[in-house]
Amino acid sequence: MSGEDEIVRDAKAMREVLARYRVASGGDFELDAYATDDLPDGMPHKTEAKALLAQGTARLAELQELLYANRTWSLLVVLQAMDAGGKDSTIAHVMSGVNPQGVSVVPFKAPGPHELAHGFLWRVGRVVPARGMIGIFNRSHYEDVLVARVHEDRLPSTGLPPELIGGKHFWEHRLEDIAAFERYLERQGTRIVKIFLNVGRDEQKERFLKRLEEPEKTWKFDAADLAERKLWPAYRAAYQAAIAATATKSAPWYVVPADRKWFARLVVAEAIIAALEDLELKPPAVPKDHAAQLAKAREQLLKD
Ligand code: ATP
Ligand code: MG
């Protein structure tokens, strides 16, 4: 893949690139084996990536239209990352060509009192994409086994009965509940793609510094992020456990190298394309009696 002018998206090559980052079973998963700055041989240069991504988003737009037209399946994209991992800009770039009517983006913040009055999956189930829709979770139910696990001392303030907190299998059980919930969604027609934007600790520091040094980026700086940065190893351990426990063939994780934003975007676009292509959707067939109606309508219009 080279030559800035004639760069053409090679679907097969991109599928191979994607396979490097797919985790479809957790048995021997090692998060540390995934480099945050990985770049496979033969990948285009940053300057060519824009054209390539544009072709990817065009393909995505076609597939999204088919999904919408069929209104049977839906696609849920779970997007997780450490702070400054690039979630927001990835969504903006990857979904840029898609009809906004067919997409919902749902950000998950720390739960408020109304949400805490229910089990942790309650707020999630309500916003799962409807048939025909692509739903993007900007953070997700995984926060309940990530930030919640890193700060497990805060669990008593979530309203859970004290008798249910702690215990040897507490987190294991939560992960089981997530896996069961996702299996339920799949059986109801929601395909799931889970993305971990795997940014390195050094790159995170650079991005925080940019937010502090460039006035147009300062609004993004959140002093609380520095406290979480100090807990980096605990977050990595929580991600390791979460991905290992919930990666399946039908709801895989992609551990996407995220030190280069342009490359991360390409990979995320391909992951979504792959999930939709896998459905092998065709334009919905027109029922026989409907075909006669259409012919009549055409005739009428022509005479108009
Ligand atoms: P950005 O900072 O790029 O705008 P963000 O996703 O970090 O995006 P914030 O409002 O900064 O948005 O952060 C949301 C916060 O809510 C995160 O710190 C996240 O860990 C926290 N959060 C989300 N879900 C939960 C949860 N279930 N329990 C506790 N904290 C949660
Ligand atoms: Mg934040």
Side-chain angles (χ1 to χ4, degrees):
M1 292 188 206
S2 61
E4 195 168 339
D5 294 329
E6 77 277 14
I7 185 119
V8 176
R9 173 176 171 267
D10 177 344
K12 195 162 159 270
M14 289 310 291
R15 209 47 81 83
E16 278 163 24
V17 166
L18 190 58
R20 290 165 78 94
Y21 311 120
R22 181 190 292 112
V23 186
S25 85
D28 53 1
F29 173 68
E30 285 295 338
L31 180 54
D32 287 339
Y34 290 78
T36 59
D37 61 353
D38 190 54
L39 193 60
D41 288 339
M43 276 311 293
H45 192 259
K46 184 178 173 182
T47 50
E48 301 161 334
K50 220 174 167 177
L52 209 55
L53 182 62
Q55 291 168 38
T57 56
R59 176 73 185 128
L60 198 54
E62 287 171 5
L63 291 163
Q64 184 264 338
E65 195 172 303
L66 276 175
L67 185 77
Y68 192 79
N70 277 274
R71 288 187 206 231
T72 48
W73 298 94
S74 62
L75 179 71
L76 171 60
V77 182
V78 166
L79 201 50
Q80 286 288 154
M82 293 295 286
D83 296 305
K87 290 183 283 104
D88 291 356
S89 65
T90 299
I91 295 170
H93 282 84
V94 171
M95 303 311 286
S96 60
V98 168
N99 183 348
Q101 292 208 85
V103 186
S104 62
V105 181
V106 186
F108 285 89
K109 311 283 181 185
H114 190 53
E115 295 170 322
L116 288 175
H118 304 265
F120 75 95
L121 290 172
W122 176 78
R123 66 172 179 170
V124 185
R126 309 170 50 167
V127 288
V128 165
R131 302 190 191 287
M133 298 287 290
I134 298 178
I136 299 180
F137 283 1
N138 184 351
R139 301 188 189 271
S140 66
H141 43 299
Y142 282 93
E143 292 292 322
D144 288 282
V145 289
L146 296 167
V147 63
R149 188 169 190 170
V150 169
H151 294 282
E152 64 178 344
D153 54 307
R154 296 178 189 164
L155 277 176
S157 67
T158 62
L160 269 178
E163 295 84 344
L164 295 184
I165 295 176
K168 219 167 80 199
H169 300 296
F170 182 85
W171 296 109
E172 206 181 296
H173 287 164
R174 255 192 197 197
L175 288 164
E176 269 176 33
D177 293 340
I178 288 180
F181 172 65
E182 292 182 358
R183 207 177 314 126
Y184 156 76
L185 292 181
E186 287 159 34
R187 288 178 178 155
Q188 290 300 311
T190 299
R191 285 294 172 104
I192 305 174
V193 172
K194 298 172 290 198
I195 311 275
F196 174 46
L197 292 177
N198 188 22
V199 75
R201 200 163 182 266
D202 292 343
E203 178 62 22
Q204 188 198 49
K205 177 178 164 181
E206 292 309 311
R207 291 184 190 175
F208 282 166
L209 281 173
K210 259 195 192 150
R211 290 178 179 187
L212 289 167
E213 289 162 3
E214 296 176 21
E216 68 275 18
K217 292 202 165 137
T218 307
W219 65 273
K220 281 190 162 189
F221 183 75
D222 183 350
D225 291 353
L226 293 189
E228 298 314 298
R229 177 175 163 80
K230 287 210 176 102
L231 300 168
W232 190 273
Y235 273 103
R236 296 285 296 184
Y239 269 107
Q240 162 72 41
I243 295 172
T246 58
T248 62
K249 207 160 166 270
S250 53
W253 274 97
Y254 289 95
V255 178
V256 177
D259 282 358
R260 294 178 183 86
K261 283 189 166 185
W262 62 267
F263 182 58
R265 287 168 195 162
L266 278 179
V267 176
V268 172
E270 289 303 323
I272 303 175
I273 289 170
L276 290 173
E277 283 184 342
D278 206 43
L279 293 173
E280 298 185 348
L281 294 173
K282 308 263 177 305
V286 180
K288 267 203 184 108
D289 54 340
H290 198 177
Q293 265 177 32
L294 291 180
K296 211 168 152 195
R298 183 170 178 273
E299 213 172 287
Q300 226 174 47
L301 269 176
L302 286 173
K303 278 195 205 140
D304 197 359

